[in-house]
């Protein structure tokens, strides 16, 4: 489809023929695609540290840190053709390359970020005000690279560190009922030149409402949250990502 568009733009396809040529090219998009699925499990440990101070009777300030987590998940890599065309293509690939066979000994290494959080809370009469800043070192996730049958598929991420900020409040109606509301903003870890269809991240805004009812020593709580996701674009260049060349994405 992109090649046909380029030919139309360059005048190699007459304007009168352009709609038909584009429609024909678009009809073939995805017919050779197969869905690859990796499923794995991993258990890992991380260390954390935190403290809370009360400069006054009504103010509380907390700081916490959780170290990075290194995972090596092990599991299955499976290929799922989506139609007759992709089934035929995948069969011919399997005859020449073990990479395209289902595999039960696949693995994926992930370096999840360290997380630093600063929190603030203040009681003002029947109100309680809250604030939070959380910094995550997502730059540790440089790529997604599942490995199987001696092969590796690399999706380069080049993610950046991100900051999450939120404010909220409680209002105590009476000794039993408490109402809550809050708003938070989370930065995207990627940008237009590095955003891939595999990891289409963007900025997001979270709006929350909730409440709780106290029954003796038990609190019953409920809440709803709406996530507003940023409309994003991708200007990913194939030559910048060696494993994306064949996909031209």
């Amino acid at each position: 489809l992109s090649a046909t568009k380029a030919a139309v733009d360059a005048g190699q396809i007459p304007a009168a023929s352009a709609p038909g040529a584009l429609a024909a090219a678009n009809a073939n998009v995805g017919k050779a695609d197969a869905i690859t699925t990796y499923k794995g499990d991993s258990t890992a440990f991380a260390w954390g540290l935190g403290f809370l101070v009360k400069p006054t009777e009504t103010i509380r300030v907390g700081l916490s840190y959780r170290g990075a987590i290194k995972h090596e998940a092990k599991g299955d890599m499976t290929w799922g053709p989506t139609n007759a065309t992709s089934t035929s293509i995948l069969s011919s690939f399997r005859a020449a390359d073990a990479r395209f066979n289902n595999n039960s000994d696949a693995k994926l290494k992930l370096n999840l970020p360290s997380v630093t959080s600063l929190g603030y809370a203040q009681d003002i009469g029947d109100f309680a005000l809250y604030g939070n800043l959380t910094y995550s070192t997502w730059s540790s996730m440089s790529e997604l690279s599942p490995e199987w049958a001696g092969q590796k598929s690399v999706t380069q991420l080049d993610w950046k560190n991100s900051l999450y900020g939120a404010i909220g409040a409680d209002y105590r109606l009476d000794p039993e009922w408490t109402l809550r509301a809050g708003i938070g903003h989370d930065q995207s870890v990627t940008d237009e030149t590095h955003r891939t269809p595999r990891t289409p991240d963007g900025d997001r805004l979270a709006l929350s409402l909730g409440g709780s009812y106290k029954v003796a020593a038990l609190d019953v709580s409920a809440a709803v949250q709406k996530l507003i996701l940023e409309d994003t674009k991708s200007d990913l260049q194939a030559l910048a990502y060696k494993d994306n060349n064949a996909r031209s994405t």
Side-chain angles (χ1 to χ4, degrees):
L1 179 59
S2 58
T4 303
K5 286 182 178 178
V8 171
D9 293 340
Q12 296 171 349
I13 295 178
S17 304
L22 290 171
N26 189 59
N28 290 317
V29 171
K31 283 191 174 181
D33 289 354
I35 298 173
T36 309
T37 303
Y38 171 78
K39 292 184 179 180
D41 298 296
S42 173
T43 299
F45 298 92
W47 65 275
L49 181 67
F51 66 86
L52 179 71
V53 296
K54 294 182 65 176
T56 72
E57 285 299 314
T58 60
I59 295 177
R60 301 174 297 283
V61 179
L63 181 66
S64 67
Y65 176 83
R66 192 212 68 200
I69 305 175
K70 293 186 177 182
H71 283 276
E72 183 170 321
K74 296 182 179 180
D76 301 325
M77 180 72 75
T78 57
W79 295 77
T82 56
N83 53 53
T85 300
S86 59
T87 299
S88 175
I89 294 173
L90 186 58
S91 296
S92 63
F93 282 178
R94 284 174 168 168
D97 191 340
R99 173 178 178 172
F100 299 98
N101 292 320
N102 293 342
N103 188 282
S104 60
D105 192 28
K107 63 181 180 179
L108 175 65
K109 294 181 180 179
L110 293 173
N111 294 322
L112 298 184
S114 62
V115 179
T116 303
S117 294
L118 175 66
Y120 176 87
Q122 182 175 359
D123 297 321
I124 305 175
D126 291 329
F127 286 91
L129 305 180
Y130 304 97
N132 173 267
L133 289 174
T134 298
Y135 184 73
S136 302
T137 58
W138 282 108
S139 57
S140 63
M141 287 276 290
S142 59
E143 62 182 33
L144 291 176
S145 306
E147 301 176 42
W148 73 103
Q151 305 289 332
K152 178 187 287 189
S153 175
V154 179
T155 297
Q156 294 165 305
L157 301 175
D158 287 333
W159 280 357
K160 59 186 178 182
N161 300 334
S162 68
L163 182 67
Y164 170 80
I167 56 174
D170 287 357
Y171 176 63
R172 290 179 289 277
L173 286 173
D174 54 42
E176 288 81 29
W177 285 99
T178 300
L179 302 180
R180 297 184 175 89
I183 182 172
H185 179 267
D186 199 8
Q187 283 183 329
S188 172
V189 298
T190 189
D191 54 36
E192 189 169 317
T193 58
H194 297 95
R195 184 175 290 113
T196 78
R198 292 180 176 182
T199 53
D201 189 63
D203 286 4
R204 49 201 160 269
L205 186 70
L207 305 175
S208 302
L209 288 174
S212 64
Y213 182 75
K214 188 175 182 62
V215 183
L218 179 67
D219 280 342
V220 180
S221 298
V224 294
Q225 184 179 78
K226 179 178 178 61
L227 288 178
I228 302 174
L229 305 179
E230 175 192 24
D231 290 335
T232 60
K233 297 180 180 179
S234 177
D235 189 24
L236 186 66
Q237 301 299 312
L239 294 179
Y241 297 90
K242 58 184 180 182
D243 197 55
N244 286 343
N245 288 347
R247 294 189 292 271
S248 296
T249 58

